[in-house]
Structure formats: C-alpha cells, structure tokens
Amino acid sequence: MAFTCRAVNLGFGNAAERGGDKGSGNLIRSSTDAHSALTQALGLSNSDSTTERRVRAAQFNGVCQLLPFFLGAQVAAGLVIIYSAHDLFSSAFMVGWGSFQLLCFGWLAFVWWRSSPSAVGSLARKDLSYFVRCAQASGLAWSLLPIASTAAAGQVNQSVLTAAMVGLLCAGGFCLSVVPNAALPWVVMIGLSTSTALAFEGAASNYLLAVFALGLTVLCAAAVLSSACAFVSNTLNEAELEQRGDLIALLLNEFEEKRSAWIWEADTRGFFRRVNDRFLMVSGCSRVELEAKRMIDLACSCSSEKATAAAKLLEDALAQKTVLRDLEICVNVNGDVRWWAVSASPVTDEYGYFSGHQGVASDITEAKRVNELVTHMAEHDSLTGIRNRSWFLARAKRRLGVDELLSANYPVLFLIDLDNFKVVNDTSGHPAGDELLKMVANRFQAVCGDSVDLARFGGDEFAAMGLFGSPETATHFAEKLITAASAPFSIGGRDFGIGATIGFAQAPADGVRIDDLLRKADIALYKAKQVGRGRVLAFEACMEREVLERRAIERDLHEAVSEGQLGLQFQPIVDARSEKVVSNEVLVRWQHPVRGEVPPDVFVPVAEHAGLILPIGEWVLRRACQAYADLPEAGAVSVNLSPVQFISPNLVEMVASTLRQTGFPPERLILEITESVFIRDFGSAGKILSALKGLGVKVALDDFGTGYSSLSYLRQYKFDRIKIDKSFVEEIGERSEGLAIISAVIALAHNLGIEVTAEGVEAKFQAEALRTLGCDALQGFYFGKPSDIPVIGKLPGGAPERELDAAFEAEDQAEAFRLQQIASSLNVTSISGWQKDRK
C-alpha cells in the first residue's frame, strides 16, 4: 500500500459563496459540533470530500508520531511475558501467536517508516482502513493471551500477565486515540479479555481486579472518544481558519495596497465568468469577448521575451491548480502594453471537486515602468546610455566564473582613456565635451557589439571586457577601439581630433579577481600613456615592478622632503659672444642614502603624482633667491616650473611672497616653463603669464621645438626668451636640417624681440655654429657641469678661437670634417673663411 501526498485545498465552494446551506465551507462550519466531529473521527460519513480526506490525513499523521512508542510498549510487554509467564502457554501456541504478532508489528513499523519523511496532506478512506485493520488484528492477538492462560497454574505468572495487559490497554488507548476505529477495538478487546480471565480465577480478590479492569476499559474507551472528537474538531477549525485567513489576507492585501485591483473568476477550463465592470474597463473588451477568453489568452497577447516567460508561469500554475501570488503578466490592451499583477486560488464545489479559480488582479504598469527606469538608471550611464561602472563590475565578476576560465577563450579587461579630451572641454565648453562622449560611446559600442561588455567609468574613462583566444586578438580588438576614437568628430560645425590609450589584463594569467584585473589593466594603461599616447599595451609583470618602485620612491621622497635630503646645483648660462656667465639655471638634486643620486627625470614625475611638487618647487625658488640675493654680480637665476606648479592657483602669490621675503629683485628671476602647461590648462595660462610678468619676473619657454604648436605660443604669449631643445643642438654636424631649423627659430625669435638660448652644447663646433647663427646664450657641459655654488664671471679656459686653433694644430681630422660640414651649411667656402666671418 502507498500513501499519496497531495496539497489540501479547503476552498469555499460556489454554494458557500452564494450563502447556500451546502458547500465545503458550510460543511466545515457545521462539522465543528461534537456530533459531527465524532462522526468524522469514526469515519461514519458516506462522502469522500477534501475535508474528509484531510481529517484522515491528520489522524494518520498524528498516530504515526506516537507509533514508535506504541510499538515499543508492545515489544516491552512481549519480552516481559516471554520471560516471566511463558510457562502459561504451550509452545505451539506461542510460536503461532508470536509469528502473527511479528507480521502485524512489521507492517505497522513499515507504515511508520514510509510516513516519516513528510507529513501526508490527503488520505483516502481505504488507506486508513488498512492501518485500522492491522491494529485491530494485533489487539485481538493480545486479547487471546489472558483467555489462553486461564487453564494454567501459577499465581505469580498470572499477575505478571495481567499487569502487562493493563499496560498494553493504556498504551494503545493513548497512542491510538486520534484514530478511534483502531483505539476502541484495542481497548475493548484487551480490557474484556483481561476482566474475563480474572473473573474465571474464582478468587474474591480476582473478582475485584476484574471489576477494576472492566472500569478501566470503560474509562479508556471514553477517553479515546473524547480525545478523537477534540482532535478532529481542532483539525477542522484550523482548516477553516487557514482558508478564511488566506482568502481574507489575499483580498485585503490586494484592495488595500492596490486600489486599482479587480476580482476575476474562471471555470474549470479557465474561461472567465461573472465578469465585473472594472475588469471590462481595464481589459478593453466587451463582456461577450472577455467571457470567451482565458487569463492565459490575455497573457499571451504580447510577444516579448519577458511576456512569454510570464505567460508560461501562469499556464503552469493554473494547470497545477496552485495558489498564485502577484504573478506579473503582460497584456495587450488595444495596442497598449500593460502589466498586471495576478493572484488567484483554486476553489472546490460542495462535493470537494475543483470548480475553477477565484482571485484578484491589478494594473501595475506605471509602477513597472518606474521600476524599470530606476533599474535602467542604476545600470546605465546617464550621459552616454551605455552601462555604468557598478553594472560592469558585477557583470565582470560573473564572467570570471569557473566555466569561463576553463573555456578556450579567456576574459580580458580593457581600460580606455581618451586623449586630449580636456582640450575639447576647455576650448568649446562642456556641452561639446558631453556630445563628444556620446559619439565616442556609440563608436565603441559598434566595435564591441554584443560579444564585449562596454561601460563608462566616469569622465573620459571607459572599460570593456570580452573573451579572447590570445593577447594578439585582444590587442587587435583594442586597436579597433583606438582607430574608432582617432577619426575626427564633427560637433557644432567644428572637427575635433582626439584619440585613445588602452591597457588590458587577461584572466587567469593576470588574476582571477576583478580587483586584480582592474589594478593591472590600470598599470598597463599608465605605462601606455607614459611611453606615448594612442597605443595599447598588455600588462606585464615588469610594469608592476615599476609601479612598486615608484611607490617606494614616493615613500622615500616624503622622507627626503621632511629630512632635507634635497639639494641645489647651478649650471652656468653664458653669453654667446663674450662667454661671460649671464645667469645660472637652478637644478634640484636628490642624494638618497641608499640609492645614491636619484635623477630628476625619475623623482620629479613621482613628486607631481604624489602632490609633493608644490612644496618642493616653493623650497627650490626660495633657496635660489636666497643664494642670489647677496650676489648682485651673479646676474639672473633661472628656476624651472613644473606644469603642476604653473596651474596652481597660488603660484603668483607664492612667487610674490618669496621675492618680498628674500629681497631678491624680480628682474633677475627667470621662470622657465614648458609647452605642456598650455595643453594642461589652456584657458588660464595667459592670465598666469600676465600676472607673473606684472611682478617684474621674466618668463622663458623651455624645450622649444618639441611640442605641437610652439609657433602659435610665440604669437599668442609674450616670452622674454626661448630655449632651443638640446635634441636640435645634437644634430649639428650630423644633419643639415637641424641647422636650418635653429637658424629659422633664431631669426623668428629676434624678429619678435625674444632672446634665444641653446641647451645641450657639449662640443666647441656646436658652440661656434650657434654663435655664428646669432644665438644669444649657450648652456651645456661644454661650458661647465652643474656645481654646488653659482658660477660668476667669465669661464676659465680662454676664448673658443684659441681652442679652435689648438684643434687644428692637433690635426683632429674628425673634428675638422664636422667643421667643414657646418661651414657648408652656413654657405662659407672654408673653415678659414668661416673663422674670418666669425671674427
């Protein structure tokens, strides 16, 4: 025999809903009196409704909970009888009796084992009757023992048997009380057989015991009936309260929280019935049209993916006759897509059979749209419309799952930084910059397609992640992004040219956590921007070592600033004609106690990044002015300004304060800046230069010729001097183009009233050539390396003429060849002619 577990639904039938005297709802209410409860407890009702089946299931579940104790009591009684009163019975009787009891015991144990994993929710009449018959058969077998022992002798053995029977009587009455069909026969059979056996003994004391056993039997039978009646009443009342509570809670929740709700009903086939006016209005159908449809028909009226999935859930729930709770379905109402929240419960008729569904529905379209908007805003960038950082990080974590990492293609994370985007903002305003970002996002999205996730991290930073088979394919994809960003953008009738720099890291080689990939991709991006923008670099372990080294330098630099490890050196700048020192350029030096001398091109970028360049720059300016304040014959002093210093809002005030405190004349101070300051802060550069000039200091444009638009800077800003970059000086004697460029720059600067200084002069032929071209001042190792004190006056070593004559006298053929090349470039026929012209 198998006990079938099914969900119990004690729904109010149609008759109950209409207020009739029939239906399961009235059946529950009318059965709560004692007579009806006892009738159902004894199984005397002729119907097999859902209520009856639930009562039987509750009885079966209740008795199964106590069945182990009941079986244990039988085992204990059997052992006592076998040990103390076995001589009261013949061996053949005991073997037959024991075999029969073992069968009953085994079957009851099997029933308990089958029912223990989960409680039974609905039980048929025949299923419970099997258990009742088995219990009755076992009770009958026990009742045979007192009758069979009357012919045997032994007062002690008879007492043991009587005690065991009384114990079994009470144990059965207690453990089987929720199933009176089993408990009553057990109690009556064992009680009557024990009383009869005691009465046949003939002794006066046994008569009293027989009367006591008979009274105990009657008392246990009454207790069984009372307990069974109370148990069934409680079960029926709980079912009624549960059903009423579910329905009332459903209706109250829908009507209180969703005022646009309406009630709907459907028959066994799912077609609507008793359609109300509210339902007609929201559905957009006539009564005839709506009553010819089902809820599933309305749910299938939209063809979107979400609508199809919701319709499938609705169809399954209605088919399985389960309770629905706020199931969201999509409905096409006269061409308008609406969302409904549907709740329903299956109902039964007066006979307990399924008769359809009842429930409520409400229009949640506006709330749905608001939620979708909130979700979209939470996952998308408000400006470009692509995904944002939070969505990207969550998506990336899922993409770094085990299945992805074990596939042939590996996740690759790209960090993308736009080049020269700030120029667009500064020159055309933020609206143009916003429009540019939208256009960039659209181009990137076209390259990424559906296979690569794209997001904007903020500002001009983007990120992408996809699956690639090798670093080469990832690099090829990144180059497509760079190409897309490099094409001109037309905004407001103007064309803008920007670019993109990309760094990427690949899992699992570079890490399996999103934080690791982000960090390493950022390191690769930084390296790519450092070596030259507009390119893509994959992360390499050496890059991380460089970052760690930079962090170590940054940490040591903080200590160097606080402990005074920085120092100054001075490199002379001489007049090209007289060779007299006209100024000194101040150079900052760092002598590390362990690393030794750290070059400026190593620690200055670190200082800029760490925010130390401002205090270092102020210290350098103050020390330089203090050193020169007491040396009026030393001429001017040149101090380099970092681009970070130049754009500092306190620069002008800092320079003015330093001049006041040191008493240094402003006309002897030359501040050198590079063209990068105009790229970083195009808008305020002119104001800063004007303010500095207003203090009386001079401004020099350093490294002239290495930028992108040097000539436009000369035209737009007023500089006192320019310094030709040493890369052009190094080409003297090697390439004629270098001399031509230097000559043109000197002529242009002189026409604009600007002095020219050449850097990196390391040979006498370079000095002679620059002097001949009309350069005003020269600087380089040929005139002296940086020293700890300012250089004053004329450099030792004599005039270049004597050094040139010494070179000829030494017959330095290589030097003579270079001088001949220079002479050719300067349109003179010989070295002697050049010397003559020069003199």
Side-chain angles (χ1 to χ4, degrees):
M1 181 200 71
F3 293 92
T4 304
C5 298
R6 287 172 292 183
V8 178
N9 179 12
L10 298 178
F12 293 111
N14 296 330
E17 188 180 60
R18 292 190 297 269
D21 296 329
K22 296 182 180 181
S24 59
N26 287 328
L27 176 61
I28 293 176
R29 290 190 291 272
S30 63
S31 62
T32 54
D33 57 70
H35 180 269
S36 297
L38 182 60
T39 300
Q40 294 203 35
L42 294 173
L44 300 179
S45 176
N46 294 326
S47 66
D48 191 26
S49 64
T50 302
T51 302
E52 301 285 346
R53 297 170 70 88
R54 177 165 182 167
V55 169
R56 284 192 292 270
Q59 288 178 306
F60 180 76
N61 292 331
V63 77
C64 283
Q65 293 178 3
L66 298 175
L67 198 56
F69 302 98
F70 177 61
L71 297 177
Q74 294 188 66
V75 171
L79 292 176
V80 169
I81 293 172
I82 292 174
Y83 179 79
S84 303
H86 62 277
D87 54 349
L88 296 177
F89 313 99
S90 64
S91 298
F93 175 83
M94 289 302 294
V95 170
W97 180 87
S99 299
F100 180 80
Q101 283 289 58
L102 283 177
L103 289 175
C104 295
F105 184 93
W107 195 92
L108 290 174
F110 173 75
V111 169
W112 172 80
W113 178 78
R114 285 291 302 275
S115 64
S116 60
S118 61
V120 177
S122 179
L123 195 67
R125 183 189 300 274
K126 63 177 182 179
D127 295 338
L128 187 62
S129 66
Y130 293 148
F131 173 84
V132 170
R133 292 170 186 172
C134 183
Q136 292 173 349
S138 179
L140 177 62
W142 282 108
S143 66
L144 295 178
L145 293 182
I147 302 301
S149 66
T150 55
Q155 185 66 29
V156 176
N157 293 344
Q158 286 286 358
S159 299
V160 171
L161 178 62
T162 301
M165 291 298 102
V166 171
L168 283 174
L169 182 147
C170 296
F174 174 77
C175 295
L176 303 176
S177 60
V178 295
V179 186
N181 289 355
L184 287 176
W186 176 278
V187 170
V188 171
M189 288 187 292
I190 293 179
L192 290 180
S193 64
T194 302
S195 301
T196 303
L198 289 172
F200 276 118
E201 292 295 325
S205 59
N206 287 349
Y207 285 121
L208 292 176
L209 288 176
V211 173
F212 173 78
L214 187 61
L216 184 61
T217 301
V218 174
L219 180 62
C220 283
V224 165
L225 292 175
S226 177
S227 177
C229 182
F231 178 84
V232 172
S233 296
N234 289 336
T235 300
L236 295 175
N237 288 332
E238 288 176 2
E240 181 183 12
L241 292 176
E242 179 183 352
Q243 174 188 319
R244 287 179 175 176
D246 286 346
L247 186 58
I248 292 173
L250 177 65
L251 294 175
L252 288 178
N253 181 68
E254 295 298 332
F255 279 103
E256 290 178 1
E257 296 184 6
K258 302 174 183 178
R259 299 180 180 179
S260 60
W262 62 91
I263 298 176
W264 66 277
E265 296 182 43
D267 57 21
T268 55
R269 297 179 300 165
F271 289 97
F272 295 118
R273 62 187 179 189
R274 286 193 293 275
V275 176
N276 55 41
D277 295 338
R278 173 64 179 166
F279 197 179
L280 291 175
M281 182 182 65
V282 297
S283 66
C285 300
S286 64
R287 187 177 302 277
V288 175
E289 292 174 338
L290 195 56
E291 290 183 347
K293 293 183 178 181
R294 303 168 300 166
M295 186 64 79
I296 188 62
D297 296 329
L298 299 179
C300 292
S301 58
C302 295
S303 58
S304 65
E305 183 177 349
K306 291 184 178 180
T308 303
K312 183 64 170 60
L313 292 176
L314 176 64
E315 184 178 15
D316 294 341
L318 294 178
Q320 297 172 8
K321 302 179 180 64
T322 56
V323 176
L324 297 177
R325 299 286 187 188
D326 289 329
L327 179 61
E328 297 180 359
I329 64 172
C330 187
V331 180
N332 188 328
V333 180
N334 297 329
D336 184 18
V337 176
R338 311 294 296 180
W339 282 91
W340 293 354
V342 178
S343 299
S345 177
V347 295
T348 56
D349 58 16
E350 61 269 25
Y351 301 106
Y353 295 105
F354 172 71
S355 63
H357 284 86
Q358 286 182 347
V360 292
S362 60
D363 192 311
I364 58 169
T365 305
E366 297 305 321
K368 186 80 171 176
R369 291 173 179 171
V370 171
N371 291 335
E372 290 178 351
L373 178 60
V374 171
T375 302
H376 184 275
M377 294 177 62
E379 296 180 350
H380 290 74
D381 177 55
S382 59
L383 176 63
T384 62
I386 63 175
R387 300 288 186 171
N388 59 14
R389 181 188 182 96
S390 61
W391 178 91
F392 183 86
L393 295 180
R395 170 70 171 168
K397 290 179 181 179
R398 294 194 298 269
R399 283 204 127 172
L400 291 175
V402 177
D403 294 339
E404 300 269 11
L405 295 179
L406 294 179
S407 63
N409 297 326
Y410 299 110
V412 179
L413 188 146
F414 303 85
L415 288 183
I416 311 160
D417 188 74
L418 300 183
D419 301 331
N420 301 323
F421 173 73
K422 190 174 185 300
V423 175
V424 179
N425 268 343
D426 292 340
T427 58
S428 299
H430 289 281
D434 292 345
E435 186 65 26
L436 178 62
L437 288 175
K438 295 178 184 178
M439 298 173 70
V440 170
N442 291 336
R443 291 188 185 181
F444 284 172
Q445 189 65 66
V447 175
C448 294
D450 297 330
S451 59
V452 178
D453 297 328
L454 176 68
R456 179 182 174 224
F457 271 23
D460 59 349
E461 298 177 357
F462 293 81
M465 189 173 193
L467 300 178
F468 297 89
S470 66
E472 291 73 20
T473 57
T475 301
H476 181 65
F477 167 78
E479 290 174 347
K480 289 183 179 179
L481 294 176
I482 294 175
T483 302
S486 301
F489 294 87
S490 180
I491 303 174
R494 296 181 59 187
D495 288 341
F496 294 91
I498 60 170
T501 305
I502 301 177
F504 69 85
Q506 177 177 311
D510 299 328
V512 295
R513 297 174 62 249
I514 182 60
D515 294 340
D516 294 334
L517 292 181
L518 280 173
R519 177 173 56 83
K520 294 180 178 180
D522 189 56
I523 292 174
L525 175 62
Y526 176 82
K527 185 65 175 179
K529 291 191 292 185
Q530 189 180 42
V531 299
R533 297 174 181 270
R535 65 180 63 199
V536 54
L537 283 183
F539 171 80
E540 297 178 4
C542 61
M543 297 179 183
E544 190 167 22
R545 290 193 294 270
E546 290 181 10
V547 171
L548 296 177
E549 178 68 14
R550 285 176 59 86
R551 291 177 180 173
I553 292 177
E554 179 180 335
R555 182 178 60 253
D556 294 345
L557 187 58
H558 278 278
E559 296 180 1
V561 173
S562 60
E563 297 178 5
Q565 295 178 6
L566 300 180
L568 297 184
Q569 286 189 337
F570 303 86
Q571 186 175 28
I573 301 174
V574 302
D575 180 82
R577 294 293 177 181
S578 65
E579 271 199 3
K580 181 180 179 181
V581 176
V582 294
S583 64
N584 280 264
E585 181 178 356
V586 178
L587 305 174
V588 62
R589 294 291 185 260
W590 178 18
Q591 189 67 30
H592 193 278
V594 177
R595 301 173 185 269
E597 185 176 348
V598 182
D601 59 350
V602 172
F603 71 82
V604 169
V606 175
E608 289 181 340
H609 184 268
L612 293 173
I613 196 63
L614 294 180
I616 291 176
E618 183 176 357
W619 175 82
V620 169
L621 180 63
R622 187 176 302 277
R623 286 289 303 274
C625 292
Q626 288 173 346
Y628 267 72
D630 299 329
L631 299 172
E633 69 277 10
V637 61
S638 295
V639 180
N640 289 282
L641 289 182
S642 162
V644 177
Q645 284 180 275
F646 186 81
I647 64 176
S648 171
N650 299 323
L651 172 65
V652 177
E653 177 58 32
M654 185 270 292
V655 173
S657 174
T658 302
L659 293 174
R660 287 194 304 270
Q661 294 175 10
T662 60
F664 188 69
E667 62 272 10
R668 293 176 58 193
L669 176 62
I670 303 173
L671 298 178
E672 297 185 5
I673 62 175
T674 61
E675 297 176 23
S676 59
V677 301
F678 303 105
I679 298 176
R680 291 195 177 205
D681 199 352
F682 182 86
S684 60
K687 296 179 180 178
I688 296 175
L689 287 176
S690 298
L692 291 175
K693 298 280 287 182
L695 296 177
V697 302
K698 297 179 180 180
V699 180
L701 182 60
D702 198 9
D703 299 334
F704 185 81
T706 59
Y708 297 100
S709 54
S710 301
L711 296 181
S712 66
Y713 297 145
L714 293 181
R715 179 173 57 86
Q716 187 170 0
Y717 304 108
K718 180 61 176 177
F719 295 100
D720 295 285
R721 68 178 58 188
I722 60 174
K723 301 183 73 173
I724 298 175
D725 188 69
K726 64 180 181 179
S727 62
F728 294 99
V729 176
E730 291 172 352
E731 293 181 354
I732 297 177
E734 302 290 341
R735 297 174 58 187
S736 61
E737 294 86 349
L739 279 173
I741 293 175
I742 293 174
S743 177
V745 169
I746 293 174
L748 175 64
H750 286 171
N751 288 332
L752 295 175
I754 301 174
E755 296 181 2
V756 180
T757 300
E759 298 179 297
V761 180
E762 298 183 0
K764 57 180 174 293
F765 69 88
Q766 295 173 339
E768 292 294 335
L770 291 168
R771 182 180 293 116
T772 302
L773 292 174
C775 191
D776 300 295
L778 305 176
Q779 178 183 357
F781 286 174
Y782 178 69
F783 299 101
K785 294 183 178 181
S787 61
D788 294 334
I789 59 174
V791 181
I792 303 174
K794 192 172 183 179
L795 292 172
E801 291 88 345
R802 292 194 297 275
E803 295 181 13
L804 187 59
D805 293 338
F808 284 125
E809 292 173 359
E811 295 183 349
D812 188 342
Q813 298 298 325
E815 194 71 14
F817 177 73
R818 287 190 176 183
L819 292 175
Q820 185 64 50
Q821 286 184 313
I822 296 172
S824 299
S825 300
L826 297 175
N827 296 321
V828 295
T829 57
S830 66
I831 294 297
S832 58
W834 179 34
Q835 278 188 301
K836 183 178 180 180
D837 293 339
R838 181 175 52 80
K839 292 179 180 178

